[in-house]
Amino acid sequence: MTDTLHPDLETLGGAGGVEQRRVLVTDLPGPLSQALHARKTAAVAAGIGTTLPVYVTKAGGGILVDVDGNQLIDFGSGIAVVNVGNAAPEVVSRVQDQVAQFTHTCFMVTPYEGYVEVCEALNRLTPGDHDKRSALFNSGAEAVENAVKIARRYTGRDAVVVFDHAYHGRTNLTMAMTAKNMPYKDGFGPFAGEVYRAPMSYPFHEPASIKGTEAAMRAISVIEKQVGADRVACVVIEPIQGEGGFVVPAEGFLPAIAEWCTANGVVFIADEIQTGFARTGDMFAVNHEGVVPDLMTTAKGIAGGLPLAAVTGRAEIMDSVHGGGLGGTYGGNPVACAAALGAIATIEQHDLAARARLIENIMVARLTELQARFPQIGEVRGRGAMIAVEIVKPGTTDPDAAETSRVSAACHQAGLVTLTCGTYGNVLRFLPPLVIGEDLLREGLDILEGAFAG
Ligand code: PMP
């Protein structure tokens, strides 16, 4: 690994034949995308939203190609999924081989090696050298649900503790665990019970004097007073919050919460669904503070775009569940497992974690320059290729969601896919594929600068 992102996709095996260049041949969305979007509106339930109605026909590396022939730079990775890029060669070839062999038997009926191999890889890659087991599912929310089931079975306790700004999914239990009402929960209750919310460490919105350990004590006090330590089955936390606004807790917060869990027989569950698989510059975000969770949930980056999720953790906790207590028809589907093995091989062989750190260096340096010029950039934060800017009314920490939408829309018009997030809708987040070339990365940042300049 050199200290630049060059040489890029050539070394990484190509990008599925997609030229790594931004090309705009129409306004966005172009006429063919608009026609498809009219069909979407007539055929697809209105509740399924669209960030940017540009219809994709092909994608590779850091580029999305649309039906009108435009080529957009991808700073979204399909919400932190294609860490290895779209059409990563190892993913494509393994999936093609697998799909030609067999597509499904149901692992619970007649098993196959790929599932076992993915579990072995997860047990090896997740932190801690204790004995581990894994179980595979289809989506992040399903993994979180199962982690809670396992923690409850193991502890014989009911209560689940989550944090302000948390996002854990859209199923009934995970809606209860997710903090933000609109759009995730509004009108969808009643929600699952025995879910309690503790205050998060959110350094930008609190005095700098509050240390991570103090923020942890504040949360622990709420848990002890409002729930009772001996009623808590598990604490579930994103080491860096994703949908909640790329909130990086103050140093010391996560280790203190994890220690409290250990001292009180509470299962500490790290939700690494968005942060996992080299995204933050290490295989998992908990590694930055040496935290070893009892259980970890993973999804998104695990399988290069195919639907797969997992719970991995201490053997005695995982194996406390009776046979048949976990599972599902499709969980650990053989094609998804083949994709995961290809994605994991790509991440390891090409040290994509190191690449994520180089992306961080380039992005943070540039965004910090922009912060000095544009007073609406309140903070630049994140780790690896999970970087965000929080947009505020200049001179305050008051959120400015309208300015955030304006900047994001201007990026879209210029052919850069950006996403927003945050409880207050005022965080612009950047999640490029880890294989993105340096030229595209810098061009994306140029477009962002233009969008801020208005
Ligand atoms: N947890 C976290 C931290 C997430 O970011 C997400 C998805 N944004 C989920 C859970 C839910 O995953 P899925 O959409 O695959 O159900």
Side-chain angles (χ1 to χ4, degrees), residues 172-373:
N172 188 265
L173 173 60
T174 59
M175 271 194 293
M177 296 168 69
T178 289
K180 192 173 176 175
N181 179 53
M182 200 63 182
Y184 308 124
K185 303 168 73 163
D186 198 64
F188 300 145
F191 303 112
E194 289 306 314
V195 175
Y196 300 90
R197 197 166 304 285
M200 182 60 183
S201 162
Y202 192 159
F204 182 62
H205 285 289
E206 45 197 328
S209 56
I210 298 185
K211 303 267 174 293
T213 45
E214 288 163 359
M217 284 316 299
R218 187 175 61 189
I220 289 163
S221 168
V222 167
I223 300 169
E224 289 181 339
K225 298 293 176 295
Q226 297 184 18
V227 193
D230 58 0
R231 290 192 51 232
V232 180
C234 55
V235 168
V236 186
I237 189 163
E238 300 154 87
I240 298 176
Q241 290 181 321
E243 306 306 311
F246 282 25
V247 178
V248 186
E251 201 185 328
F253 180 78
L254 286 174
I257 299 283
E259 273 166 37
W260 179 86
C261 286
T262 306
N264 289 279
V266 173
V267 178
F268 180 78
I269 303 176
D271 180 347
E272 292 254 10
I273 287 165
Q274 189 151 163
T275 48
F277 296 98
R279 172 56 58 187
T280 68
D282 206 319
M283 190 56 92
F284 296 104
V286 286
N287 296 358
H288 296 290
E289 287 198 77
V291 170
V292 178
D294 297 314
L295 300 183
M296 183 185 282
T297 55
T298 52
K300 291 189 185 278
I302 192 175
L306 273 81
L308 189 72
V311 181
T312 300
R314 293 185 186 280
E316 67 275 20
I317 301 178
M318 295 294 292
D319 284 344
S320 68
V321 178
H322 46 281
L326 304 175
T329 305
Y330 293 115
N333 167 275
V335 182
C337 286
L341 294 171
I344 291 168
T346 305
I347 292 168
E348 293 198 281
Q349 280 164 21
H350 299 294
D351 195 0
L352 293 191
R355 243 183 124 80
R357 295 194 294 273
L358 294 175
I359 291 172
E360 173 179 347
N361 293 344
I362 292 169
M363 281 202 147
V364 170
R366 185 68 183 278
L367 294 170
T368 307
E369 274 170 36
L370 297 188
Q371 188 183 18
R373 284 182 44 208

Side-chain angles (χ1 to χ4, degrees), residues 79 138-142 144 167-170 238 242-243 271-274 299-300:
I79 322 187
N138 301 292
S139 68
E142 206 189 338
V144 172
Y167 183 90
H168 297 292
R170 296 172 182 263
E238 300 154 87
E243 306 306 311
D271 180 347
E272 292 254 10
I273 287 165
Q274 189 151 163
K300 291 189 185 278

